[in-house]
Amino acid sequence: MKRIIITCILILTADLCLAPVLFLLVGTFMGNHEIYTCIAPALGKGDGLAIWHLLPQYPTLQNVVGLLFDSPEYFQMFWNSIFYTGAILAGQMLFGMPAAWGLARYSFRGRKTVYRLFILVMMMPFQVTMLSQYLVLNRLGMLDRPQSVVLPGIFATFSVFIMYRFFRGIPENVMEAARMDGAGEFQIFLRIGIPLGSPGILSALVFSFLDCFSMLEQPMTFLKTKSLWPLSLFLPEITSQNAGFSLCASLVTILPAMFVFLAGQDYLEQGIAMAGAKE
């Protein structure tokens, strides 16, 4: 009996978590008039309570057609998001992996201090570092350029922290055996560190993708030219007059993040577990 109750609670919780996605999916195939009829009371323009249908009463592809064929700015911002996310992830792998490997595997004076600084910076929200980043980017002449979004993301500390935890778990005797066989430090990093630390690298990539693809405050602060905006700045411009189009755009926007999350779910769980482990 207890197991049945727990199962029902878990199913109910899962349904509540999936409700927003179902809301977007159903609203994508609704007309604006039907959506307005359902939510008019919530907007203060009708009596009674707002309702929502499990299936559209009058299904239409108007919103999908409008998004795919009549919204070139949507695809421009979509590819901007792909570019920013890809550039940031590539930079984090290029600079973050060696940094995490060095912190995890080599002892040097001040290593613990550097690690604590990484933790401190990681815990700071963007609002704390926004002014300093803005001043630095302005001094370098990078404001309102793609570099103003990419460069701060490349040197984010969270991905280094995740990879550090996995690199730290590699047995030291494996590295000593490689050194006895004549392998150099760079070869050890390439042939031992990266393969054994691949779960941490992949979990860091998943975390970073989910964060970068939906970033809002950074481009809003550093980018003024609309043609450079990522997709996250497109959705707030949609008004209630085209609610169906708004729901359709929101659904398409979350699809890449959902795909990456489902594909990297196992690595994501490992990253969360390792991030919570004690030093």
Side-chain angles (χ1 to χ4, degrees):
M1 184 65 181
K2 182 178 179 181
R3 179 175 298 179
I4 296 176
I5 295 175
I6 294 176
T7 302
C8 293
I9 293 175
L10 292 176
I11 293 175
L12 179 60
T13 304
D15 291 338
L16 292 176
C17 293
L18 292 175
V21 180
L22 180 62
F23 179 86
L24 292 178
L25 182 61
V26 175
T28 297
F29 300 101
M30 280 185 177
N32 290 327
H33 178 72
E34 184 178 356
I35 295 177
Y36 180 80
T37 302
C38 293
I39 65 174
L43 301 176
K45 298 181 180 180
D47 299 328
L49 299 175
I51 60 173
W52 195 254
H53 304 301
L54 292 178
L55 294 174
Q57 292 183 340
Y58 308 100
T60 177
L61 294 176
Q62 179 182 0
N63 300 318
V64 179
V65 173
L67 179 66
L68 297 180
F69 298 101
D70 298 331
S71 303
E73 69 277 6
Y74 181 89
F75 287 97
Q76 182 181 22
M77 293 182 180
F78 176 82
W79 289 114
N80 286 343
S81 293
I82 294 296
F83 169 75
Y84 294 144
T85 303
I88 290 173
L89 295 184
Q92 288 182 356
M93 294 301 100
L94 181 62
F95 297 101
M97 278 197 303
W101 178 257
L103 282 174
R105 305 311 311 179
Y106 297 108
S107 298
F108 55 88
R109 189 173 183 179
R111 182 173 69 90
K112 291 186 177 180
T113 302
V114 174
Y115 178 73
R116 293 191 181 100
L117 287 175
F118 266 85
I119 300 298
L120 178 63
V121 174
M122 183 185 67
M123 295 175 62
M124 291 182 179
F126 173 73
Q127 292 81 357
V128 176
T129 60
M130 177 179 64
L131 179 59
S132 59
Q133 291 185 26
Y134 185 90
L135 294 176
V136 171
L137 293 171
N138 184 47
R139 192 66 178 267
L140 295 175
M142 292 184 180
L143 286 179
D144 202 24
R145 294 184 178 181
Q147 297 93 318
S148 63
V149 176
V150 173
L151 288 180
I154 286 177
F155 298 101
T157 56
F158 185 70
S159 59
V160 176
F161 173 74
I162 294 296
M163 291 184 285
Y164 167 88
R165 306 301 304 182
F166 282 84
F167 287 151
R168 189 72 175 170
I170 298 176
E172 182 64 28
N173 56 0
V174 175
M175 298 179 59
E176 291 296 334
R179 292 190 182 100
M180 292 179 62
D181 289 338
E185 297 300 321
F186 187 68
Q187 289 180 314
I188 293 175
F189 171 62
L190 288 181
R191 299 184 179 182
I192 296 179
I194 293 179
L196 294 182
S198 58
I201 296 172
L202 292 174
S203 63
L205 286 174
V206 173
F207 272 116
S208 297
F209 181 92
L210 297 177
D211 180 52
C212 296
F213 194 78
S214 60
M215 59 181 173
L216 182 64
E217 295 170 324
Q218 295 88 333
M220 185 180 294
T221 304
F222 302 140
L223 299 177
K224 303 302 178 185
T225 303
K226 189 174 181 180
S227 60
L228 297 176
W229 286 0
L231 192 56
S232 54
L233 295 185
F234 175 78
L235 298 179
E237 288 193 342
I238 301 173
T239 62
S240 59
Q241 283 73 22
N242 52 358
F245 181 84
S246 174
L247 296 176
C248 180
S250 300
L251 179 65
V252 176
T253 299
I254 67 174
L255 289 180
M258 290 180 61
F259 175 77
V260 171
F261 174 80
L262 293 175
Q265 184 177 3
D266 294 338
Y267 299 107
L268 195 62
E269 292 174 355
Q270 293 180 38
I272 294 173
M274 289 298 294
K278 293 184 178 180
E279 174 69 24

